[in-house]
PDB file of all heavy atoms in Angstrom:
ATOM      1  N   THR B 264      77.484  82.733  68.470  1.00 84.00           N
ATOM      2  CA  THR B 264      76.949  82.421  69.768  1.00 84.00           C
ATOM      3  C   THR B 264      75.395  82.678  69.745  1.00 84.00           C
ATOM      4  O   THR B 264      74.637  81.865  70.283  1.00 84.00           O
ATOM      5  CB  THR B 264      77.539  83.332  70.861  1.00 84.00           C
ATOM      6  OG1 THR B 264      78.956  83.263  70.747  1.00 84.00           O
ATOM      7  CG2 THR B 264      77.177  82.934  72.217  1.00 84.00           C
ATOM      8  N   GLU B 265      74.992  83.748  69.148  1.00 85.00           N
ATOM      9  CA  GLU B 265      73.537  84.090  69.115  1.00 85.00           C
ATOM     10  C   GLU B 265      72.815  83.002  68.365  1.00 85.00           C
ATOM     11  O   GLU B 265      71.651  82.614  68.713  1.00 85.00           O
ATOM     12  CB  GLU B 265      73.305  85.419  68.523  1.00 85.00           C
ATOM     13  CG  GLU B 265      73.813  86.555  69.421  1.00 85.00           C
ATOM     14  CD  GLU B 265      73.356  87.938  68.968  1.00 85.00           C
ATOM     15  OE1 GLU B 265      72.662  88.023  67.944  1.00 85.00           O
ATOM     16  OE2 GLU B 265      73.713  88.939  69.675  1.00 85.00           O
ATOM     17  N   THR B 266      73.428  82.441  67.282  1.00 82.00           N
ATOM     18  CA  THR B 266      72.759  81.410  66.505  1.00 82.00           C
ATOM     19  C   THR B 266      72.685  80.108  67.347  1.00 82.00           C
ATOM     20  O   THR B 266      71.670  79.480  67.422  1.00 82.00           O
ATOM     21  CB  THR B 266      73.542  81.142  65.207  1.00 82.00           C
ATOM     22  OG1 THR B 266      73.834  82.369  64.606  1.00 82.00           O
ATOM     23  CG2 THR B 266      72.741  80.252  64.287  1.00 82.00           C
ATOM     24  N   VAL B 267      73.785  79.746  67.987  1.00 83.00           N
ATOM     25  CA  VAL B 267      73.823  78.536  68.770  1.00 83.00           C
ATOM     26  C   VAL B 267      72.758  78.565  69.895  1.00 83.00           C
ATOM     27  O   VAL B 267      72.047  77.646  70.128  1.00 83.00           O
ATOM     28  CB  VAL B 267      75.222  78.264  69.426  1.00 83.00           C
ATOM     29  CG1 VAL B 267      75.176  77.122  70.421  1.00 83.00           C
ATOM     30  CG2 VAL B 267      76.233  77.962  68.264  1.00 83.00           C
ATOM     31  N   PHE B 268      72.712  79.671  70.578  1.00 83.00           N
ATOM     32  CA  PHE B 268      71.834  79.825  71.736  1.00 83.00           C
ATOM     33  C   PHE B 268      70.450  80.445  71.399  1.00 83.00           C
ATOM     34  O   PHE B 268      69.658  80.799  72.210  1.00 83.00           O
ATOM     35  CB  PHE B 268      72.464  80.667  72.836  1.00 83.00           C
ATOM     36  CG  PHE B 268      73.591  79.922  73.534  1.00 83.00           C
ATOM     37  CD1 PHE B 268      74.893  80.052  73.099  1.00 83.00           C
ATOM     38  CD2 PHE B 268      73.338  79.063  74.615  1.00 83.00           C
ATOM     39  CE1 PHE B 268      75.928  79.435  73.723  1.00 83.00           C
ATOM     40  CE2 PHE B 268      74.350  78.421  75.240  1.00 83.00           C
ATOM     41  CZ  PHE B 268      75.654  78.572  74.808  1.00 83.00           C
ATOM     42  N   GLN B 269      70.210  80.673  70.044  1.00 83.00           N
ATOM     43  CA  GLN B 269      68.970  81.339  69.625  1.00 83.00           C
ATOM     44  C   GLN B 269      68.721  82.564  70.435  1.00 83.00           C
ATOM     45  O   GLN B 269      67.632  82.804  70.905  1.00 83.00           O
ATOM     46  CB  GLN B 269      67.797  80.337  69.735  1.00 83.00           C
ATOM     47  CG  GLN B 269      67.794  79.311  68.614  1.00 83.00           C
ATOM     48  CD  GLN B 269      67.686  79.985  67.233  1.00 83.00           C
ATOM     49  OE1 GLN B 269      66.761  80.632  66.909  1.00 83.00           O
ATOM     50  NE2 GLN B 269      68.722  79.740  66.394  1.00 83.00           N
ATOM     51  N   TRP B 270      69.750  83.354  70.587  1.00 83.00           N
ATOM     52  CA  TRP B 270      69.712  84.604  71.406  1.00 83.00           C
ATOM     53  C   TRP B 270      69.121  85.712  70.498  1.00 83.00           C
ATOM     54  O   TRP B 270      69.681  85.952  69.402  1.00 83.00           O
ATOM     55  CB  TRP B 270      71.132  84.969  71.869  1.00 83.00           C
ATOM     56  CG  TRP B 270      71.227  86.070  72.813  1.00 83.00           C
ATOM     57  CD1 TRP B 270      71.507  87.392  72.565  1.00 83.00           C
ATOM     58  CD2 TRP B 270      70.993  85.999  74.240  1.00 83.00           C
ATOM     59  NE1 TRP B 270      71.473  88.111  73.686  1.00 83.00           N
ATOM     60  CE2 TRP B 270      71.148  87.263  74.724  1.00 83.00           C
ATOM     61  CE3 TRP B 270      70.643  84.961  75.110  1.00 83.00           C
ATOM     62  CZ2 TRP B 270      71.032  87.586  76.114  1.00 83.00           C
ATOM     63  CZ3 TRP B 270      70.514  85.240  76.445  1.00 83.00           C
ATOM     64  CH2 TRP B 270      70.721  86.532  76.940  1.00 83.00           C
ATOM     65  N   PRO B 271      68.055  86.329  70.929  1.00 84.00           N
ATOM     66  CA  PRO B 271      67.400  87.290  70.006  1.00 84.00           C
ATOM     67  C   PRO B 271      68.088  88.639  69.851  1.00 84.00           C
ATOM     68  O   PRO B 271      67.521  89.679  70.182  1.00 84.00           O
ATOM     69  CB  PRO B 271      65.991  87.507  70.652  1.00 84.00           C
ATOM     70  CG  PRO B 271      66.296  87.258  72.120  1.00 84.00           C
ATOM     71  CD  PRO B 271      67.391  86.245  72.173  1.00 84.00           C
ATOM     72  N   GLY B 272      69.298  88.593  69.375  1.00 84.00           N
ATOM     73  CA  GLY B 272      70.105  89.800  69.295  1.00 84.00           C
ATOM     74  C   GLY B 272      70.281  90.302  67.877  1.00 84.00           C
ATOM     75  O   GLY B 272      69.651  89.757  66.937  1.00 84.00           O
ATOM     76  N   MET B 273      71.188  91.272  67.613  1.00 85.00           N
ATOM     77  CA  MET B 273      71.362  91.814  66.337  1.00 85.00           C
ATOM     78  C   MET B 273      71.998  90.854  65.365  1.00 85.00           C
ATOM     79  O   MET B 273      71.780  90.888  64.168  1.00 85.00           O
ATOM     80  CB  MET B 273      72.274  93.047  66.485  1.00 85.00           C
ATOM     81  CG  MET B 273      71.642  94.183  67.207  1.00 85.00           C
ATOM     82  SD  MET B 273      72.561  95.718  66.810  1.00 85.00           S
ATOM     83  CE  MET B 273      74.216  95.300  67.332  1.00 85.00           C
ATOM     84  N   GLY B 274      72.881  89.970  65.915  1.00 84.00           N
ATOM     85  CA  GLY B 274      73.562  89.006  65.038  1.00 84.00           C
ATOM     86  C   GLY B 274      72.556  88.158  64.315  1.00 84.00           C
ATOM     87  O   GLY B 274      72.688  87.919  63.104  1.00 84.00           O
ATOM     88  N   LEU B 275      71.574  87.677  65.075  1.00 84.00           N
ATOM     89  CA  LEU B 275      70.607  86.808  64.480  1.00 84.00           C
ATOM     90  C   LEU B 275      69.838  87.515  63.394  1.00 84.00           C
ATOM     91  O   LEU B 275      69.537  87.044  62.307  1.00 84.00           O
ATOM     92  CB  LEU B 275      69.614  86.367  65.573  1.00 84.00           C
ATOM     93  CG  LEU B 275      69.021  84.945  65.478  1.00 84.00           C
ATOM     94  CD1 LEU B 275      70.117  83.933  65.225  1.00 84.00           C
ATOM     95  CD2 LEU B 275      68.293  84.588  66.751  1.00 84.00           C
ATOM     96  N   LEU B 276      69.496  88.810  63.711  1.00 86.00           N
ATOM     97  CA  LEU B 276      68.818  89.655  62.746  1.00 86.00           C
ATOM     98  C   LEU B 276      69.607  89.798  61.441  1.00 86.00           C
ATOM     99  O   LEU B 276      69.079  89.708  60.352  1.00 86.00           O
ATOM    100  CB  LEU B 276      68.594  91.061  63.387  1.00 86.00           C
ATOM    101  CG  LEU B 276      67.768  92.055  62.548  1.00 86.00           C
ATOM    102  CD1 LEU B 276      66.320  91.677  62.544  1.00 86.00           C
ATOM    103  CD2 LEU B 276      67.969  93.484  63.186  1.00 86.00           C
ATOM    104  N   PHE B 277      70.910  90.001  61.623  1.00 86.00           N
ATOM    105  CA  PHE B 277      71.806  90.230  60.494  1.00 86.00           C
ATOM    106  C   PHE B 277      71.852  88.964  59.612  1.00 86.00           C
ATOM    107  O   PHE B 277      71.740  89.038  58.386  1.00 86.00           O
ATOM    108  CB  PHE B 277      73.204  90.598  60.960  1.00 86.00           C
ATOM    109  CG  PHE B 277      74.149  90.879  59.813  1.00 86.00           C
ATOM    110  CD1 PHE B 277      74.005  92.001  59.065  1.00 86.00           C
ATOM    111  CD2 PHE B 277      75.192  90.032  59.563  1.00 86.00           C
ATOM    112  CE1 PHE B 277      74.911  92.303  58.021  1.00 86.00           C
ATOM    113  CE2 PHE B 277      76.064  90.309  58.530  1.00 86.00           C
ATOM    114  CZ  PHE B 277      75.890  91.425  57.797  1.00 86.00           C
ATOM    115  N   ILE B 278      72.007  87.803  60.252  1.00 84.00           N
ATOM    116  CA  ILE B 278      72.032  86.551  59.499  1.00 84.00           C
ATOM    117  C   ILE B 278      70.812  86.414  58.675  1.00 84.00           C
ATOM    118  O   ILE B 278      70.835  86.018  57.471  1.00 84.00           O
ATOM    119  CB  ILE B 278      72.140  85.378  60.483  1.00 84.00           C
ATOM    120  CG1 ILE B 278      73.477  85.383  61.201  1.00 84.00           C
ATOM    121  CG2 ILE B 278      71.920  84.053  59.735  1.00 84.00           C
ATOM    122  CD1 ILE B 278      74.482  84.447  60.735  1.00 84.00           C
ATOM    123  N   GLN B 279      69.634  86.697  59.290  1.00 83.00           N
ATOM    124  CA  GLN B 279      68.385  86.591  58.535  1.00 83.00           C
ATOM    125  C   GLN B 279      68.356  87.590  57.396  1.00 83.00           C
ATOM    126  O   GLN B 279      67.930  87.265  56.296  1.00 83.00           O
ATOM    127  CB  GLN B 279      67.203  86.814  59.488  1.00 83.00           C
ATOM    128  CG  GLN B 279      66.956  85.635  60.389  1.00 83.00           C
ATOM    129  CD  GLN B 279      66.136  86.024  61.649  1.00 83.00           C
ATOM    130  OE1 GLN B 279      65.786  87.167  61.863  1.00 83.00           O
ATOM    131  NE2 GLN B 279      65.896  85.041  62.505  1.00 83.00           N
ATOM    132  N   ALA B 280      68.812  88.826  57.658  1.00 84.00           N
ATOM    133  CA  ALA B 280      68.860  89.815  56.623  1.00 84.00           C
ATOM    134  C   ALA B 280      69.745  89.387  55.409  1.00 84.00           C
ATOM    135  O   ALA B 280      69.345  89.600  54.253  1.00 84.00           O
ATOM    136  CB  ALA B 280      69.366  91.133  57.168  1.00 84.00           C
ATOM    137  N   VAL B 281      70.809  88.742  55.752  1.00 82.00           N
ATOM    138  CA  VAL B 281      71.725  88.291  54.662  1.00 82.00           C
ATOM    139  C   VAL B 281      70.987  87.264  53.755  1.00 82.00           C
ATOM    140  O   VAL B 281      71.033  87.282  52.547  1.00 82.00           O
ATOM    141  CB  VAL B 281      73.059  87.725  55.189  1.00 82.00           C
ATOM    142  CG1 VAL B 281      73.841  87.003  54.129  1.00 82.00           C
ATOM    143  CG2 VAL B 281      73.857  88.774  55.907  1.00 82.00           C
ATOM    144  N   THR B 282      70.308  86.323  54.425  1.00 81.00           N
ATOM    145  CA  THR B 282      69.627  85.321  53.688  1.00 81.00           C
ATOM    146  C   THR B 282      68.604  85.894  52.717  1.00 81.00           C
ATOM    147  O   THR B 282      68.395  85.367  51.635  1.00 81.00           O
ATOM    148  CB  THR B 282      68.869  84.329  54.691  1.00 81.00           C
ATOM    149  OG1 THR B 282      69.621  84.301  55.844  1.00 81.00           O
ATOM    150  CG2 THR B 282      68.645  83.002  54.102  1.00 81.00           C
ATOM    151  N   PHE B 283      67.964  86.999  53.114  1.00 79.00           N
ATOM    152  CA  PHE B 283      66.950  87.535  52.256  1.00 79.00           C
ATOM    153  C   PHE B 283      67.356  88.792  51.561  1.00 79.00           C
ATOM    154  O   PHE B 283      66.469  89.547  51.077  1.00 79.00           O
ATOM    155  CB  PHE B 283      65.685  87.854  53.073  1.00 79.00           C
ATOM    156  CG  PHE B 283      65.018  86.598  53.657  1.00 79.00           C
ATOM    157  CD1 PHE B 283      65.206  86.246  54.988  1.00 79.00           C
ATOM    158  CD2 PHE B 283      64.256  85.743  52.822  1.00 79.00           C
ATOM    159  CE1 PHE B 283      64.635  85.082  55.481  1.00 79.00           C
ATOM    160  CE2 PHE B 283      63.708  84.601  53.349  1.00 79.00           C
ATOM    161  CZ  PHE B 283      63.893  84.214  54.690  1.00 79.00           C
ATOM    162  N   VAL B 284      68.643  89.063  51.431  1.00 75.00           N
ATOM    163  CA  VAL B 284      69.151  90.248  50.776  1.00 75.00           C
ATOM    164  C   VAL B 284      68.363  91.460  51.232  1.00 75.00           C
ATOM    165  O   VAL B 284      67.963  92.316  50.391  1.00 75.00           O
ATOM    166  CB  VAL B 284      69.078  90.086  49.217  1.00 75.00           C
ATOM    167  CG1 VAL B 284      70.053  91.078  48.579  1.00 75.00           C
ATOM    168  CG2 VAL B 284      69.392  88.725  48.745  1.00 75.00           C
ATOM    169  N   ASP B 285      68.229  91.626  52.534  1.00 79.00           N
ATOM    170  CA  ASP B 285      67.501  92.776  53.083  1.00 79.00           C
ATOM    171  C   ASP B 285      68.503  93.901  53.245  1.00 79.00           C
ATOM    172  O   ASP B 285      69.020  94.144  54.333  1.00 79.00           O
ATOM    173  CB  ASP B 285      66.867  92.359  54.386  1.00 79.00           C
ATOM    174  CG  ASP B 285      65.718  93.299  54.744  1.00 79.00           C
ATOM    175  OD1 ASP B 285      65.650  94.399  54.162  1.00 79.00           O
ATOM    176  OD2 ASP B 285      64.830  92.894  55.566  1.00 79.00           O
TER     177      ASP B 285
END
Side-chain angles (χ1 to χ4, degrees):
Chain B
T264 311
E265 292 191 0
T266 312
V267 170
F268 289 92
Q269 284 300 299
W270 189 261
M273 292 198 302
L275 215 50
L276 183 72
F277 182 70
I278 294 257
Q279 286 158 0
V281 170
T282 327
F283 294 103
V284 200
D285 202 338

